[in-house]
Amino acid sequence: MKNILIIGSLGQLGSEIALECRKRYGDDHVVLTDIRNDVNKPLVEGGPFYLVDARDGQSVDAIVKKHNIDTIYHLAAVLSARAEKDPLNAWNLNMGGLIASLEVAKANGCAVFTPSSIGAFGPTTPKQYTPQDTIQRPTSIYGVTKVAGELLCDYYYHKFDVDTRGIRFPGVISNMTPPGGGTTDYAVEIYYEAVKSHHYTCFLRGDTYLDMIYMPDAVQAAIQIMEANPARLRHRNAFNIAAMSFCPEEQAAYIRTLIPDFTISYDIDPVKQAIADSWPDSLEDYAARVEWDWKPRFDLAAMTADMLTTIQRRGE
C-alpha cells in the first residue's frame, strides 16, 4: 500500500485504522472521507479529508485519481441494531456505498478492503467454533447486507480481477471512539460505566456469549491482510478472525478483579438480544492464521486491564 483512501473514516473502526495508517504511511498518503466532519478534528485536519457520501461514486473516483490511490478501505455502514430501525436506509447505504467503491476500484486498478461481520451468520449456523465456510442465513438486515457484500466482493474479484479482501469482525472493543449502534456495544460501554459509577445495566442477558476483539488487534488485522501476499489468499472475502469469546457475566467478573465493588444488572433489549442469539458464540479462524499469519495479541484479561487503565488515565 502506498496511497490509501479510507471511506467512513470517522466511525469506530475507521478512525483507528486511519490513525494507524497515517502513522505507518504518512499523513499525505492516507486520504479520508466521511459524511460528517464535526468529530475527531485531529484526523480531519491532520491530512487530506473530503466530505463525501460513500454512495457518490463520481466524487470518490475524482479523489482516487487526484491522489493516485491504490488501496480503498470501504468502512461506511449502518450497524446492526440501528439498521433494524430503518432497513431500507441500511440496505441503500451498505450496498450502494460498497458497489460505488468496487466500481471505482475496477476503473482505477485499486485493491479494496471491506469489513464483514459475525452478523453474516444466522441461527442455523453452527454456534461453536463456526467454520470459515458454513451456512450463512442471517435474520437481520445488517447480516443480509454483509452476506451480499461478501458475495459482491467475490464477484468483482472473479469477474473483473479487483483485488478484494475482507474480514468477518467479531464485536470490536475500543477505548477511543464510541460505538455506533451495534449489538456488541455493551462490551465497550461496560468499561466506561465501571470507571464512572461502578455499575452497568446491560441490554443483553448475562449468559450471552459472543466473539470479541480489542481494537488494536482489529486494526492490525485490517492492515495485515491488505499487506499479505495475494498468492496465499484462497478465501479473500471474508476471513473469520477470533481473539476471545465471553458473556457479560464473565466480563463483569474480570472487571471486579480490578474494581472489586463493580456490579452489573440487566434490562434486556429484545431487538438486540434476538440479534445476538442468532450469532455464533465463537469463530474458528484457521484460514486466516494459515493464509496471512493472523494472530491476536489481547485476551479478555489483557484487554480489561488496558481498557480500565486508559479510561481512568483520561478521567472518563
Side-chain angles (χ1 to χ4, degrees):
M1 295 189 291
K2 294 180 180 179
N3 296 303
I4 301 165
L5 172 63
I6 303 178
I7 298 171
S9 62
L10 300 183
Q12 185 193 29
L13 184 60
S15 59
E16 300 205 34
I17 291 177
L19 184 64
E20 183 62 26
C21 283
R22 281 186 167 172
K23 286 180 182 177
R24 294 192 186 197
Y25 304 104
D27 293 343
D28 292 339
H29 293 278
V30 181
V31 181
L32 310 183
T33 76
D34 208 291
I35 201 168
R36 58 187 298 191
N37 63 358
D38 58 344
V39 296
N40 207 329
K41 289 296 182 183
L43 269 184
V44 172
E45 298 172 356
F49 179 90
Y50 295 89
L51 204 59
V52 174
D53 188 310
R55 295 165 289 189
D56 183 358
Q58 187 173 6
S59 294
V60 172
D61 184 74
I63 293 168
V64 165
K65 286 181 167 61
K66 179 178 179 180
H67 293 274
N68 196 27
I69 298 297
D70 55 68
T71 304
I72 298 172
Y73 279 84
H74 181 85
L75 306 177
V78 181
L79 300 184
S80 56
R82 186 173 294 175
E84 289 303 299
K85 297 178 181 179
D86 192 347
L88 183 58
N89 177 65
W91 175 267
N92 287 338
L93 177 60
N94 292 8
M95 299 310 301
L98 175 57
I99 200 163
S101 286
L102 290 170
E103 280 292 299
V104 170
K106 182 181 72 170
N108 293 278
C110 302
V112 179
F113 173 88
T114 307
S116 188
S117 163
I118 56 172
F121 300 118
T124 55
T125 300
K127 291 185 75 67
Q128 301 291 335
Y129 298 104
T130 303
Q132 172 69 39
D133 303 306
T134 188
I135 300 167
Q136 292 181 258
R137 302 289 290 182
T139 53
S140 68
I141 188 62
Y142 175 73
V144 170
T145 65
K146 287 303 176 184
V147 174
E150 290 182 15
L151 295 173
L152 192 62
C153 288
D154 279 344
Y155 177 78
Y156 269 75
Y157 169 66
H158 292 293
K159 183 74 173 180
F160 305 117
D161 200 29
V162 177
D163 185 2
T164 56
R165 311 184 190 190
I167 289 169
R168 292 184 187 125
F169 281 110
V172 179
I173 298 175
S174 169
N175 58 39
M176 286 183 61
T177 306
T183 301
T184 57
D185 286 1
Y186 87 85
V188 181
E189 296 168 357
I190 192 172
Y191 290 118
Y192 285 89
E193 291 303 314
V195 171
K196 179 181 177 182
S197 62
H198 293 205
H199 177 80
Y200 179 63
T201 302
C202 184
F203 55 73
L204 296 182
R205 290 192 318 270
D207 62 351
T208 305
Y209 275 85
L210 289 169
D211 240 24
M212 302 285 182
I213 189 171
Y214 197 27
M215 183 62 83
D217 280 335
V219 171
Q220 175 59 28
I223 294 173
Q224 186 178 348
I225 191 174
M226 296 310 289
E227 292 182 334
N229 180 354
R232 295 179 62 192
L233 303 181
R234 186 168 66 87
H235 287 90
R236 289 185 168 269
N237 306 291
F239 286 91
N240 286 358
I241 62 169
M244 63 192 91
S245 176
F246 57 81
C247 65
E249 279 293 327
E250 192 172 5
Q251 190 178 17
Y254 274 81
I255 290 173
R256 277 192 288 271
T257 66
L258 299 170
I259 304 177
D261 62 342
F262 174 73
T263 58
I264 188 169
S265 60
Y266 297 91
D267 182 13
I268 310 303
D269 182 319
V271 173
K272 292 179 180 178
Q273 186 65 58
I275 294 172
D277 288 342
S278 74
W279 288 355
D281 293 354
S282 58
L283 300 180
E284 177 272 302
D285 60 357
Y286 179 76
R289 292 174 184 263
V290 169
E291 294 179 39
W292 48 278
D293 304 318
W294 157 246
K295 185 178 181 181
R297 293 168 291 168
F298 287 87
D299 59 12
L300 178 55
M303 177 182 70
T304 297
D306 192 67
M307 280 288 292
L308 294 176
T309 298
T310 302
I311 295 169
Q312 289 168 337
R313 186 173 61 244
R314 291 203 304 252
E316 299 179 8

